[in-house]
Amino acid sequence: YGMASIRVDGNDVLAVHLATKAARDYAIQNMEPVLIEAMTYRQGDHSTSDDSSQYRAKDEVSKVECDYDPWKRLNSFLIHQDWMTEQDVESMVKEERAAVLQALSKAEQRPLTKLDTMFQDVYHEMPSHLKQQEHELHEHLKKFSDKY
């Protein structure tokens, strides 16, 4: 497409950081966009309705998780450099897990978002297929109002 690009190991947190910094510097200096292509491996399913074990061997996923998991690679690097210990990592995981659960609990106390908002702020003018989907949603909710 005629734009600058950087390909980076998307499973290497430090490499991604450096690539992002380089892309930012280039974009500012040249007033042009930069595409960052982060080469990675999706360890999980696409969605809750997807079962990737149907098209990927479990051994393949396990090997990638063991050898290339970004979190494990970063922790291993930090520990190898003596910048963190296993206990530091465990403590950080516990602290962050608690913070996430606290934020989740707080978010669950908020009023539910109205379903209509899912059709807003996507297009300047809503295309006909989305108008149809919105109409179908409202009809479905009317028909099965006792389920929601």
Side-chain angles (χ1 to χ4, degrees):
Y1 297 105
M3 80 168 61
S5 64
I6 298 174
R7 179 178 282 182
V8 63
D9 177 354
N11 292 328
D12 183 335
V13 174
L14 299 176
V16 170
H17 173 76
L18 291 173
T20 303
K21 185 178 181 323
R24 179 185 183 275
D25 292 345
Y26 179 92
I28 290 170
Q29 184 177 3
N30 296 288
M31 298 297 292
E32 294 178 1
V34 179
L35 172 71
I36 299 174
E37 182 181 13
M39 305 301 289
T40 189
Y41 184 90
R42 180 180 46 79
Q43 293 180 30
D45 299 327
H46 281 288
S47 67
T48 55
S49 63
D50 177 39
D51 179 8
S52 63
S53 68
Q54 298 299 309
Y55 52 87
R56 296 194 299 192
K58 290 186 182 192
D59 291 346
E60 172 190 332
V61 177
S62 294
K63 179 166 177 38
V64 169
E65 182 180 358
C66 183
D67 295 344
Y68 301 104
D69 181 86
W71 175 248
K72 291 177 182 176
R73 285 176 70 180
L74 179 61
N75 289 342
S76 177
F77 174 78
L78 295 172
I79 291 167
H80 182 75
Q81 296 295 318
D82 290 326
W83 294 340
M84 291 184 80
T85 65
E86 291 281 351
Q87 293 77 21
D88 293 333
V89 172
E90 289 175 21
S91 176
M92 185 173 58
V93 167
K94 285 181 185 177
E95 288 175 25
E96 293 306 317
R97 180 170 284 132
V100 168
L101 291 173
Q102 183 180 11
L104 178 63
S105 179
K106 185 177 177 182
E108 287 175 334
Q109 303 305 312
R110 295 182 65 194
L112 293 176
T113 305
K114 294 180 181 171
L115 283 174
D116 290 337
T117 62
M118 118 171 101
F119 297 97
Q120 299 169 354
D121 297 326
V122 178
Y123 296 96
H124 179 67
E125 291 187 32
M126 190 185 308
S128 60
H129 72 279
L130 278 186
K131 288 179 184 177
Q132 179 64 30
Q133 288 177 17
E134 183 178 28
H135 173 74
E136 290 171 3
L137 171 65
H138 289 292
E139 292 300 312
H140 176 82
L141 292 174
K142 280 182 203 171
K143 185 175 180 180
F144 299 102
S145 60
D146 59 319
K147 305 289 182 195
Y148 296 96

